[in-house]
Amino acid sequence: NAGVTQTPKFQVLKTGQSMTLQCAQDMNHNSMYWYRQDPGMGLRLIYYSASEGTTDKGEVPNGYNVSRLNKREFSLRLESAAPSQTSVYFCASGFRGSSYEQYFGPGTRLTVT
Amino acid sequence: GENVEQHPSTLSVQEGDSAVIKCTYSDSASNYFPWYKQELGKGPQLIIDIRSNVGEKKDQRIAVTLNKTAKHFSLHITETQPEDSAVYFCAAQRAGSYQLTFGKGTKLSVIP
């Protein structure tokens, strides 16, 4: 049981390049999330997917797109990377219903030059 | 929207002492309050949480208290150990929402 996995662990992009961050969970969770973490800013929600087939914007969605590929996988795409998107990106997953817990992956450290 | 303030931003304690981290929230409709521990280079790990129908919850050396009237909640770590050194985040979630709003974190250093 790997929990939440993310690839890649590290990535360097040039301004204007595109890339997709991958996330998968094996806990049969319904909801999945993408956060970014910047120094002194805590974690901020980019997008989330309440269930397979649905996605919604979070606090900071500009410059990002997401795809909920199936129940297990939720990807985050940067179409034209900017230096302001340099950050550590975390994927999380969780159940709904009586339990609200979210479980995080190990993160992807992205640098845009 | 929800706003979560967390204090202090850094905290140093001697091994064996207690540590307290405090958070306040703005949305009276929030009803779920988790705490996460993040070690260097890793993702946040849920360590304890509390729901609005409970005033206090304990799990071994950690406890969380909630005061809904004042809209604040706190994390208490007793008998601190060097392995407790990490960044701790509080968060709040509005009833019916999928979104967690996080505080900006507290870096706890436990000095042996």
Side-chain angles (χ1 to χ4, degrees), chain A residues 7-39:
Chain A
T7 56
K9 286 185 168 45
F10 302 93
Q11 184 70 50
V12 179
L13 291 178
K14 291 186 177 2
T15 298
Q17 288 185 319
S18 62
M19 80 160 295
T20 300
L21 281 64
Q22 306 286 354
C23 174
Q25 54 92 9
D26 62 3
M27 296 177 282
N28 201 33
H29 285 163
N30 299 320
S31 56
M32 297 186 74
Y33 310 81
W34 277 106
Y35 292 87
R36 61 177 288 172
Q37 183 175 40
D38 303 293

Side-chain angles (χ1 to χ4, degrees), chain B residues 3-63:
Chain B
N3 183 49
V4 176
E5 300 280 342
Q6 183 172 347
H7 299 279
S9 56
T10 60
L11 179 61
S12 290
V13 299
Q14 290 292 132
E15 182 177 356
D17 287 350
S18 295
V20 180
I21 303 170
K22 299 182 179 182
C23 289
T24 60
Y25 61 98
S26 62
D27 189 345
S28 56
S30 290
N31 68 346
Y32 175 63
F33 307 93
W35 286 88
Y36 286 84
K37 176 184 180 182
Q38 186 177 26
E39 297 174 341
L40 196 61
K42 296 186 177 181
Q45 178 187 10
L46 179 68
I47 56 172
I48 195 166
D49 57 13
I50 192 166
R51 291 173 174 78
S52 60
N53 58 345
V54 175
E56 183 176 1
K57 184 176 178 181
K58 286 183 180 178
D59 183 2
Q60 299 182 343
R61 294 186 298 108
I62 60 173

Side-chain angles (χ1 to χ4, degrees), chain A residues 32-111:
Chain A
M32 297 186 74
Y33 310 81
W34 277 106
Y35 292 87
R36 61 177 288 172
Q37 183 175 40
D38 303 293
M41 295 294 293
L43 292 115
R44 293 182 291 170
L45 184 65
I46 305 171
Y47 271 93
Y48 67 98
S49 171
S51 60
E52 189 178 352
T54 69
T55 61
D56 283 287
K57 294 178 181 179
E59 180 185 353
V60 289
N62 290 346
Y64 306 95
N65 286 300
V66 291
S67 296
R68 183 74 182 265
L69 305 170
N70 47 57
K71 190 171 185 179
R72 292 186 60 249
E73 298 172 291
F74 188 39
S75 62
L76 178 72
R77 183 160 178 84
L78 287 71
E79 289 292 352
S80 179
S84 60
Q85 293 178 306
T86 294
S87 188
V88 182
Y89 291 86
F90 289 100
C91 177
S93 70
F95 274 119
R96 285 301 292 180
S98 60
S99 169
Y100 300 98
E101 293 93 339
Q102 293 184 22
Y103 298 90
F104 284 78
T108 294
R109 185 174 295 274
L110 175 67
T111 301

Side-chain angles (χ1 to χ4, degrees), chain B residues 8 10-21 61 77-86 88 106-112:
Chain B
T10 60
L11 179 61
S12 290
V13 299
Q14 290 292 132
E15 182 177 356
D17 287 350
S18 295
V20 180
I21 303 170
R61 294 186 298 108
I77 306 173
T78 59
E79 300 173 19
T80 54
Q81 301 168 4
E83 52 264 38
D84 295 327
S85 295
Y88 291 81
T106 296
K107 183 176 181 181
L108 173 64
S109 300
V110 179
I111 303 162

